[in-house]
Amino acid sequence: MRLAGPGSSVTAEPRARKYKCGLPQPCPEEHLAFRMVSGAANVIGPKICLEDKMLMSSVKDNVGRGLNIALVNGVNGELIEARAFDMWAGDVNDLLKFIRPLHEGTLVFVASYDDPATKMNEETRKLFSELGSRNAKELAFRDSWVFVGAKGVQNKSPFEQHVKNSKHTNKYEGWPEALEMEGCIPRRSSAS
């Protein structure tokens, strides 16, 4: 089978230029480009990309059921640590030990996979709320959640999406749709 013979011309569709992490436009100076996707049901793992670097993904083999969290230096955008916390069968104290000691200005990227909330307790929900989450208090079994917050924020984060697990609206049997979020986060100045 010949796809294009001599004399035939194949014209490729002009492709829209993509920027860091696949964003449709570049971020302003002194901003960090990010894109993240929650897991889809219990099949496709979440992804967290920052400044064109994949911080967490199934390919990197560093995601898991529950909450997938990447801690990032808010000044230089460097990854501090990335870990998955099983919120169905894991120990919530592992998560608490991870997010309690955060330094001022640390960015916190969170993407759910399968179940973000079964093991969440009041302290966990309070800590995420203090990082800027509006939805941490009502997260429930198998909800989809993506969130970017920071230690020391004064207001609620503009970077958060949440879809309730509901038999009537779920996209997959037993799970809501995956969430995708992208944007530009202002870098912290090193003086603060």
Side-chain angles (χ1 to χ4, degrees), residues 20-173:
K20 289 179 180 172
C21 292
L23 267 62
Q25 68 268 339
C27 286
E29 264 190 59
E30 294 306 308
H31 282 66
L32 302 168
F34 80 92
R35 168 185 236 116
M36 54 199 301
V37 186
S38 69
N42 60 349
V43 181
I44 300 167
K47 290 184 188 136
I48 301 174
C49 174
L50 181 71
E51 285 293 289
D52 248 4
K53 287 190 210 94
M54 195 57 73
L55 304 183
M56 299 188 83
S57 70
S58 296
V59 172
K60 287 184 72 86
D61 196 27
N62 66 349
V63 296
R65 170 174 76 181
L67 294 177
N68 294 271
I69 303 177
L71 303 180
V72 171
N73 179 314
V75 176
N76 64 17
E78 292 297 315
L79 177 66
I80 297 166
E81 192 175 355
R83 284 190 50 197
F85 296 90
D86 186 339
M87 300 305 287
W88 170 252
D91 183 351
V92 73
N93 289 307
D94 294 339
L95 171 61
L96 289 168
K97 284 180 205 147
F98 190 68
I99 58 175
R100 267 189 204 128
L102 296 181
H103 294 289
E104 195 84 5
T106 301
L107 298 173
V108 182
F109 293 78
V110 184
S112 67
Y113 183 25
D114 185 6
D115 176 25
T118 296
K119 292 281 178 142
M120 260 200 192
N121 60 19
E122 202 48 49
E123 184 183 358
T124 321
R125 294 174 190 279
K126 183 176 179 284
L127 285 168
F128 280 118
S129 295
E130 288 169 0
L131 294 169
S133 171
R134 286 179 171 82
N135 301 119
K137 288 195 185 321
E138 59 262 3
L139 280 178
F141 176 67
R142 287 189 178 168
D143 286 1
S144 286
W145 184 46
V146 287
F147 166 66
V148 183
K151 177 77 175 185
V153 293
Q154 302 306 310
N155 306 312
K156 292 299 177 190
S157 171
F159 302 114
E160 184 173 32
Q161 291 180 25
H162 173 225
V163 177
K164 283 269 187 219
N165 168 19
S166 159
K167 207 165 43 178
H168 307 295
T169 58
N170 283 347
K171 180 172 182 179
Y172 310 106
E173 192 166 323

